């Protein structure tokens, strides 16, 4: 055997780690919405390269763009103030002609960038077909609270069959913030609405928005993941979102996006991503790393995850007893479980506990321990344990823990697939080593949060 050492190659390791995601994303539809500011930013060349790359590995891409900054700038040249009400422009004839011109320029710029293929660039040899067209039918937004929005429209229909056939043929479909009416008029439509309606009509797997700021939770921490229900609890029900209203809002403001994200989730889009628009790697990090990027909003696909209460002890015992008997889980007496019940979260379906997990947080440690993760055999393989694990990791991260640890006798590979690495008993802090059960001989896994 050669004793030559080759050193580590981060790029190669990253590529290997990303390969499951490459397979997972092939054939999936991503609708991405960009604010007008991104089209003018330094991020655009990287983003268009990344989109070409994504198209080449088989993602079906629909790119929606806004042009608010460009239109505000043009109107300011003629000293015409922009009139934005609740995130929508009041579009008079001058604003409409400015929007049509700005849309043409933005579209040409994007098409040119997506056509690049010079040698020695990330786009070398790439040949991406980009198509735009009359895919959005709009109707007048109308008069609201006495304000006539004139040429502002709302989406009536997205011609999804036409878009699907272009995606089938490998095209990237570009959707500007315009819609056409059955009477032949042009309407100004928000990019948020176009992207949401397109994602729903296309049954997209993902809808992503580039945003200036991510939403925050009750403790003012950035929200990394939330269900549509949680978003509503935090910000109010659709149509009455409680956020500061500001005439100067960008074309992709949270005030516009969050209710649309909830609508998308309720109408079959499984994942809505909010990505920070000043992070050039946000999109690829979201798609190709386990921890993702930004904020993920998901439909509540199954039963709700909730903290366990003392009345759940019986249900948890029923779930874990066979696993304790086989040695898969540590044996816990009813009394021990009752004492620890505040550490547990459960998934309940029709009054039955179908999955559970526990989180042990010690004040003097930077490592949180996750334990007793189990799904009832009838409900396995649908992502429930994954959802519980993510939930507990988030909780630990929120409480400023830096690592998550688990001890397992049978399920190490399940955790390795979720970003955990094996560590030796010697790496355990002395206090935890003291309570380590030598007879069980569990393997120890850890992940950085
Ligand atoms: C491991 C367990 C919690 C997973 O629950 P689940 O709700 O089915 O999990 P998910 O749906 O999120 O993940 C299922 C995937 O994990 C895989 N998986 C299940 N057990 C595994 C194991 N021991 N090792 C590796 N992968 C495993 C499944 O094959 C499935 O893969 P797929 O998505 O490619 O089909 C569940 O099988 C269980 O309760 N096992 C017994 C208890 C246990 O071992 N707990 C861990 C204690 S440390």
């Amino acid at each position: 055997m050669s004793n030559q050492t080759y050193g580590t190659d981060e790029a190669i390791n990253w590529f290997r780690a990303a390969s499951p995601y490459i397979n997972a994303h092939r054939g999936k539809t991503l609708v991405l919405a960009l604010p007008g500011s991104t089209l003018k930013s330094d991020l655009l060349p990287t983003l268009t390269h990344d989109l070409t790359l994504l198209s080449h590995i088989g993602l079906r891409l629909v790119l929606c763009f806004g042009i608010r900054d460009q239109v505000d700038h043009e109107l300011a040249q003629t000293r015409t103030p922009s009139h934005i009400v609740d995130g929508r422009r009041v579009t008079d004839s001058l604003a409409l002609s400015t929007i049509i011109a700005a849309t043409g320029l933005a579209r040409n710029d994007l098409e040119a960038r997506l056509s690049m293929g010079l040698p020695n660039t990330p786009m070398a040899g790439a040949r991406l077909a980009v198509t735009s067209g009359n895919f959005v039918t709009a109707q007048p937004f109308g008069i609201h609270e006495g304000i006539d929005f004139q040429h502002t429209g709302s989406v009536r229909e997205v011609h999804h069959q036409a878009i699907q056939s272009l995606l089938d043929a490998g095209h990237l479909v570009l959707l500007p913030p315009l819609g056409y009416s059955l009477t032949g008029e042009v309407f100004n439509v928000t990019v948020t609405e176009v992207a949401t309606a397109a994602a729903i009509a296309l049954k997209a797997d993902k809808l992503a928005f580039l945003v200036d700021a991510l939403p925050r939770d009750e403790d003012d921490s950035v929200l990394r993941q939330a269900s549509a229900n949680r978003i509503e609890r935090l910000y109010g029900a659709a149509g009455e979102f409680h956020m500061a209203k500001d005439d100067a809002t960008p074309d992709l403001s949270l005030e516009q996006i969050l209710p649309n994200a909830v609508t998308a989730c309720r109408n079959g889009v499984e994942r809505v991503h909010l990505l920070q628009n000043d992070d050039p790697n946000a999109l690829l990090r979201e798609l190709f790393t386990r921890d993702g990027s930004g904020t993920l909003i998901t439909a509540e696909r199954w039963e709700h995850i909730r903290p366990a209460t003392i009345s759940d002890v019986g249900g948890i015992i029923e779930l874990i007893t066979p696993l304790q008997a086989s040695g898969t889980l540590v044996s816990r007496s009813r009394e021990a479980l009752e004492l620890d019940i505040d550490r547990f979260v459960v998934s309940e379906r029709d009054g039955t506990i179908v999955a559970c997990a526990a989180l042990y947080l010690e004040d003097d440690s930077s490592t949180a321990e996750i334990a007793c993760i189990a799904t009832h055999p009838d409900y396995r393989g649908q992502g429930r344990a994954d959802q519980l694990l993510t939930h507990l990791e988030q909780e630990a991260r929120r409480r400023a823990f830096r690592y998550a640890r688990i001890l397992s006798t049978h399920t190490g590979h399940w955790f390795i697939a979720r970003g955990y690495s094996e560590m030796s008993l010697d790496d355990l802090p002395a206090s935890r080593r003291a309570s380590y059960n030598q007879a069980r001989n569990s393997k120890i896994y850890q992940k950085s949060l």
Side-chain angles (χ1 to χ4, degrees):
M1 207 171 113
S2 155
N3 59 5
Q4 185 180 2
T5 54
Y6 293 100
T8 55
D9 193 326
E10 272 184 40
I12 299 282
N13 288 338
W14 183 87
F15 190 51
R16 289 193 183 117
S19 58
Y21 299 100
I22 297 174
N23 288 329
H25 295 318
R26 189 172 297 122
K28 297 287 165 61
T29 302
L30 165 68
V31 176
L32 174 65
L34 312 180
S37 56
T38 301
L39 301 184
K40 299 192 303 185
S41 84
D42 298 345
L43 188 77
L44 191 61
T46 310
L47 188 69
T48 47
H49 288 179
D50 290 348
L51 288 173
T52 309
L53 171 72
L54 294 177
S55 172
H56 282 291
I57 64 166
L59 257 98
R60 298 155 67 84
L61 296 175
V62 176
L63 181 60
C64 307
F65 60 91
I67 41 158
R68 178 160 298 171
D69 281 30
Q70 291 81 339
V71 172
D72 286 348
H73 177 78
E74 283 305 313
L75 290 177
Q77 301 295 305
T78 58
R79 296 180 199 286
T80 312
S82 282
H83 190 184
I84 312 281
V85 180
D86 291 349
R88 276 177 213 265
R89 185 182 296 279
V90 176
T91 313
D92 59 16
S93 299
L94 175 63
L96 182 65
S97 53
T98 310
I99 289 164
I100 291 171
T103 300
L105 287 173
R107 200 187 121 180
N108 276 312
D109 185 33
L110 282 168
E111 286 177 356
R113 287 176 186 279
L114 290 164
S115 305
M116 284 167 69
L118 288 176
N120 303 324
T121 71
M123 318 277 283
R127 187 89 201 142
L128 176 60
V130 180
T131 306
S132 189
N134 61 341
F135 301 123
V136 174
T137 304
Q139 60 197 14
F141 184 62
I143 300 169
H144 291 256
E145 296 180 12
I147 299 168
D148 183 353
F149 281 75
Q150 303 178 53
H151 301 287
T152 297
S154 57
V155 176
R156 183 171 172 181
E157 195 188 355
V158 174
H159 299 272
H160 57 93
Q161 294 99 332
I163 299 177
Q164 293 287 18
S165 55
L166 288 163
L167 296 176
D168 289 345
H171 291 226
L172 179 150
V173 175
L174 209 51
L175 295 182
L178 294 177
Y180 304 92
S181 74
L182 298 181
T183 55
E185 288 169 83
V186 184
F187 285 97
N188 170 30
V189 188
T190 65
V191 54
T192 315
E193 197 181 331
V194 169
T196 306
I200 293 170
L202 293 165
K203 300 184 172 49
D205 301 282
K206 288 171 187 289
L207 167 61
F209 295 96
L210 293 196
V211 295
D212 286 344
L214 298 172
R216 293 181 167 266
D217 65 12
E218 302 88 340
D219 303 330
D220 204 32
S221 307
V222 167
L223 202 58
R224 290 296 319 275
Q225 184 175 13
S227 67
N229 289 352
R230 173 124 196 262
I231 291 289
E232 269 195 350
R233 282 197 296 279
L234 281 171
Y235 293 103
E240 46 162 72
F241 265 57
H242 314 309
M243 297 191 75
K245 291 201 161 80
D246 177 1
D247 273 4
T249 49
D251 39 9
L252 279 177
S253 67
L254 289 182
E255 189 192 343
Q256 293 258 316
I257 290 171
L258 292 177
N260 277 281
V262 170
T263 304
C265 288
R266 300 263 158 83
N267 286 278
V269 179
E270 277 194 9
R271 297 164 82 92
V272 179
H273 300 278
L274 311 190
L275 304 172
Q276 195 81 46
N277 67 12
D278 57 1
D279 176 358
N281 300 330
L283 181 61
L284 294 194
R285 194 176 316 109
E286 172 48 47
L287 292 172
F288 297 108
T289 66
R290 169 138 192 94
D291 288 340
S293 171
T295 301
L296 168 63
I297 302 171
T298 49
E300 213 126 37
R301 276 199 289 158
W302 315 286
E303 54 284 336
H304 184 51
I305 293 180
R306 60 168 175 79
T309 67
I310 199 76
S311 57
D312 295 319
V313 168
I316 296 175
I317 289 177
E318 215 168 294
L319 173 66
I320 64 177
T321 299
L323 298 165
Q324 296 183 152
S326 66
T328 308
L329 294 180
V330 180
S331 288
R332 284 175 175 78
S333 65
R334 173 178 279 271
E335 293 68 35
L337 199 57
E338 284 174 358
L339 279 175
D340 273 358
I341 196 68
D342 289 346
R343 303 179 191 270
F344 275 77
V345 287
V346 292
S347 255
E348 182 186 317
R349 182 171 186 149
D350 301 332
T352 308
I353 306 292
V354 293
C356 70
L359 181 65
Y360 288 77
L361 303 172
E362 303 302 338
D363 286 343
D364 57 350
S365 167
S366 57
T367 306
E369 194 163 312
I370 292 171
C372 203
I373 185 158
T375 302
H376 187 282
D378 291 351
Y379 296 93
R380 287 186 187 161
Q382 294 165 38
R384 283 187 173 83
D386 198 43
Q387 198 188 29
L388 284 171
L389 182 70
T390 307
H391 179 89
L392 293 184
E393 286 173 352
Q394 268 169 6
E395 180 60 17
R397 197 182 287 129
R398 198 176 69 78
R399 306 243 206 130
F401 282 80
R402 292 176 45 224
Y403 304 97
R405 176 203 305 137
I406 65 103
L407 271 61
S408 177
T409 50
H410 292 62
T411 322
H413 281 200
W414 190 83
F415 290 99
I416 289 171
R418 282 151 185 84
Y420 285 75
S421 318
E422 192 174 341
M423 55 188 274
S424 81
L425 183 56
D426 296 339
D427 297 329
L428 272 187
S431 56
R432 183 62 183 90
R433 217 177 311 142
S435 61
Y436 177 83
N437 183 339
Q438 298 284 354
R440 279 182 63 73
N441 195 21
S442 305
K443 290 191 171 169
I444 305 157
Y445 300 88
Q446 184 162 302
K447 171 181 172 177
S448 170
L449 291 173

